[in-house]
Amino acid sequence: MPQSNKKSMTLTTAEENYLKAIYHLSEGGKKGVSTNDVAAEMKTKPASVSDMLRKLGEKEVIEYRKYYGVHITDEGKKLALQTIRKHRLWEVFLVEKLNFAWDEVHEVAEELEHIQSPLLIQRLDAYLNYPKFDPHGDPIPDEFGDVRARPRVALNEMEVDQTGQIVAVKDSSAAFLRHLDKMGAYIGARIKVLDKVEFDGSLEILVDQKKTLFMSKDVAGNILVQQS
Amino acid sequence: MPQSNKKSMTLTTAEENYLKAIYHLSEGGKKGVSTNDVAAEMKTKPASVSDMLRKLGEKEVIEYRKYYGVHITDEGKKLALQTIRKHRLWEVFLVEKLNFAWDEVHEVAEELEHIQSPLLIQRLDAYLNYPKFDPHGDPIPDEFGDVRARPRVALNEMEVDQTGQIVAVKDSSAAFLRHLDKMGAYIGARIKVLDKVEFDGSLEILVDQKKTLFMSKDVAGNILVQQS
DNA sequence: TTTCGAATTTAGTCTTATCTAAAAATAAAT
DNA sequence: ATTTATTTTTAGATAAGACTAAATTCGAAA
Ligand SMILES: [Mn+2]
Ligand SMILES: [Mn+2]
Ligand SMILES: [Mn+2]
Ligand SMILES: [Mn+2]
């Protein structure tokens, strides 16, 4: 029998991590998420994933048809967004209050997001003054799982002379973030595309109307801009 | 072979909880801690405890001789105090920053204490301004596991006319703490013993030179006072 | 339509942490 | 010094979450 999710569905830490991965892999694409994709994202083996998918299916947070990938259910989406909310609120706390660098917060938040206490999150949210975005520019869902997304475009997609503001990064790895720090790029920076090099697609960018810098197409592809 | 604890010994969450329990049960008494005592403290069965003791013994954080109870080792004491430090720092955070009541913090801190991040604790400590005591008056060990204990006596042991200041509680259960709130007793309150009733050992206490209140011997036994 | 390679699932093993029931050891009482 | 009562340990089971190796299914190519 399927789990009667009358009231509250409780997930283990492992289940929360898998569900979050599935949610993220679902974003954009309408087609199901494959076992291999989940395994890659979670750094586990496909066999382990199959097992977990069965369990998540029984709990009705995903729709699971063997061999055909999974779709997240509404209930699952709500739970995933709750975990994401907690993750991002903790990241804000670490950066704003404990002076962590933005490349130091992810691993710790990955643990903190599993602390079970609605009161804690409610109070933390208030303490942080109800932030709308995390240190990487990602939106923080509200307690009902609603996210207000900003329209944004990858920097490498912009044309010469277009302007905007860096609002987020696609890649939150420490290596990438430290590279941005070194270059002098940061969330909130006003930018203008000065040139796009034919040869390798790299870009020349004007930052805050004073500094110009070059970045590879690859780097620019992981910077998200709100155009203006 | 015993775990070569050359450098850093890492414990699981369950192991940390058991070790903390053993540490607390060790305090005061010089004789070993019994399997049954640990089982009672951990709300698990003695059979489960035996298993865990064997594991903790192999990791050399306790000295384990079958049938004769356990003694915590120096290494074990250091690790237990580290977990206790984290627990109490988080409790301070919850009360001071997130406005939790002192009877609401224990369960959450019981989870937060297992987050693995030396940087996090170091920063949290600084953010809280290096507190020396938690919301229940218990001392917070420093990063080397050193505790500076205050001399203190249970309120029911005091004589009539003696004075002092409430500095801690022995029982941190929500029920007891809420009772203290209702009575108007709190950490830091200046008190004087006005009377000790022959009949049932209950006490009449003057609080902050203005309010008098009656409390049972049982309640007084869980209030710790620094005499003056 | 058959075949073949990749993706996926199943089967079986391992570790951690718990339990119940049974056996063994210790401590206490005759 | 035995016998008993209590405590503790062992044996065997279960559940979660991972793995490897083997079997199965799917879909694309021939
Ligand atoms: Mn996580
Ligand atoms: Mn983030
Ligand atoms: Mn704990
Ligand atoms: Mn405390």
Side-chain angles (χ1 to χ4, degrees):
Chain A
M1 309 91 213
Q3 189 85 7
S4 69
N5 59 2
K6 294 284 174 201
K7 234 0 198 260
S8 64
M9 169 89 314
T10 29
L11 301 178
T12 65
T13 290
E15 287 169 342
E16 284 184 347
N17 284 332
Y18 271 99
L19 189 59
K20 200 157 57 96
I22 292 166
Y23 174 85
H24 282 133
L25 292 168
S26 299
E27 280 189 309
K30 202 76 210 136
K31 346 158 217 14
V33 175
S34 79
T35 298
N36 265 353
D37 288 350
V38 175
E41 180 82 7
M42 293 295 297
K43 297 172 201 295
T44 56
K45 301 293 169 180
S48 309
V49 174
S50 282
D51 232 53
M52 184 55 89
L53 295 184
R54 189 185 39 70
K55 282 190 280 188
L56 292 175
E58 278 164 16
K59 291 196 170 186
E60 296 183 355
V61 295
I62 61 173
E63 215 177 298
Y64 177 43
R65 276 181 54 225
K66 276 184 204 176
Y67 294 103
Y68 289 93
V70 299
H71 291 266
I72 197 162
T73 64
D74 285 353
E75 177 68 10
K77 197 173 295 185
K78 216 170 68 187
L79 290 172
L81 282 164
Q82 228 141 76
T83 305
I84 289 166
R85 167 175 162 78
K86 293 195 275 177
H87 184 106
R88 291 178 182 168
L89 281 173
W90 279 116
E91 284 189 345
V92 172
F93 169 72
L94 294 173
V95 167
E96 298 283 311
K97 303 295 186 181
L98 299 195
N99 296 112
F100 274 60
W102 68 337
D103 61 294
E104 296 173 320
V105 297
H106 188 77
E107 311 305 318
V108 186
E110 202 57 52
E111 291 188 51
L112 285 164
E113 69 188 358
H114 304 291
I115 305 286
Q116 303 286 6
S117 170
L119 180 62
L120 174 61
I121 294 308
Q122 182 203 295
R123 295 292 174 87
L124 184 65
D125 193 24
Y127 186 57
L128 299 173
N129 230 276
Y130 310 101
K132 295 283 167 288
F133 300 94
D134 85 358
H136 312 106
D138 291 313
I140 299 175
D142 69 21
E143 58 183 321
F144 309 109
D146 289 332
V147 208
R148 195 152 43 268
R150 292 181 282 201
R152 54 201 205 178
V153 61
L155 178 47
N156 67 323
E157 307 285 345
M158 292 174 65
E159 303 301 328
V160 171
D161 276 345
Q162 291 190 326
T163 62
Q165 199 168 8
I166 297 180
V167 292
V169 291
K170 238 183 226 171
D171 176 357
S172 286
S173 72
F176 180 65
L177 296 179
R178 275 201 291 265
H179 180 57
L180 292 192
D181 284 341
K182 195 172 298 176
M183 287 198 315
Y186 62 97
I187 305 272
R190 307 210 59 94
I191 57 99
K192 179 177 184 180
V193 179
L194 295 181
D195 193 22
K196 294 181 78 169
V197 179
E198 282 293 321
F199 176 63
D200 63 349
S202 65
L203 294 86
E204 186 184 4
I205 302 293
L206 177 67
V207 178
D208 291 332
Q209 275 128 11
K210 48 178 187 279
K211 187 160 72 169
T212 79
L213 53 89
F214 289 88
M215 62 177 71
S216 72
K217 191 185 172 199
D218 233 49
V219 167
N222 280 299
I223 295 175
L224 298 172
V225 176
Q226 182 169 35
Q227 287 184 277
S228 59
Chain B
M1 310 91 213
Q3 190 85 8
S4 68
N5 58 1
K6 294 283 177 203
K7 242 337 192 280
S8 65
M9 170 88 314
T10 29
L11 301 179
T12 65
T13 291
E15 288 170 341
E16 284 185 346
N17 285 331
Y18 271 99
L19 190 59
K20 202 158 55 96
I22 293 166
Y23 174 84
H24 282 133
L25 292 169
S26 300
E27 280 189 309
K30 203 73 209 139
K31 347 159 219 11
V33 175
S34 79
T35 299
N36 266 351
D37 288 350
V38 176
E41 180 82 8
M42 293 296 297
K43 296 171 203 291
T44 56
K45 301 293 168 181
S48 309
V49 174
S50 281
D51 232 55
M52 184 55 89
L53 294 185
R54 189 185 39 70
K55 281 190 280 187
L56 292 176
E58 278 165 15
K59 292 195 169 187
E60 295 183 356
V61 294
I62 61 173
E63 214 177 297
Y64 176 44
R65 277 180 53 224
K66 277 185 202 173
Y67 294 102
Y68 289 92
V70 300
H71 290 266
I72 196 161
T73 65
D74 285 353
E75 177 67 11
K77 197 172 295 182
K78 217 170 70 189
L79 289 172
L81 282 163
Q82 229 143 74
T83 305
I84 289 166
R85 168 175 162 78
K86 293 195 275 177
H87 184 106
R88 292 180 181 166
L89 282 174
W90 280 115
E91 284 189 344
V92 172
F93 169 73
L94 294 172
V95 167
E96 297 283 310
K97 303 295 185 182
L98 300 196
N99 295 113
F100 275 59
W102 67 338
D103 61 294
E104 296 173 321
V105 297
H106 188 78
E107 312 306 317
V108 186
E110 202 56 53
E111 290 188 52
L112 285 164
E113 69 188 357
H114 305 291
I115 304 287
Q116 304 287 6
S117 170
L119 179 63
L120 174 60
I121 294 308
Q122 184 203 294
R123 295 292 175 88
L124 184 64
D125 193 23
Y127 185 57
L128 299 173
N129 231 276
Y130 309 101
K132 293 284 168 288
F133 300 95
D134 85 357
H136 313 106
D138 292 313
I140 299 175
D142 69 21
E143 58 184 319
F144 308 110
D146 290 332
V147 208
R148 195 155 47 272
R150 291 181 282 200
R152 52 200 205 178
V153 61
L155 178 47
N156 65 324
E157 307 284 346
M158 291 175 65
E159 303 301 327
V160 171
D161 276 345
Q162 291 189 325
T163 61
Q165 199 168 7
I166 297 179
V167 291
V169 291
K170 239 183 224 171
D171 176 357
S172 286
S173 71
F176 180 65
L177 297 178
R178 276 200 292 265
H179 179 56
L180 292 191
D181 283 342
K182 195 173 298 175
M183 288 199 312
Y186 62 96
I187 305 269
R190 306 210 60 92
I191 58 99
K192 179 178 184 180
V193 179
L194 295 182
D195 192 22
K196 294 181 79 169
V197 179
E198 281 293 320
F199 177 63
D200 63 348
S202 65
L203 293 88
E204 186 184 4
I205 303 292
L206 177 67
V207 178
D208 290 333
Q209 275 127 12
K210 46 180 188 280
K211 188 160 71 168
T212 80
L213 52 89
F214 289 88
M215 62 178 70
S216 72
K217 191 186 170 194
D218 234 50
V219 166
N222 280 298
I223 296 176
L224 298 172
V225 175
Q226 182 168 35
Q227 286 184 278
S228 59

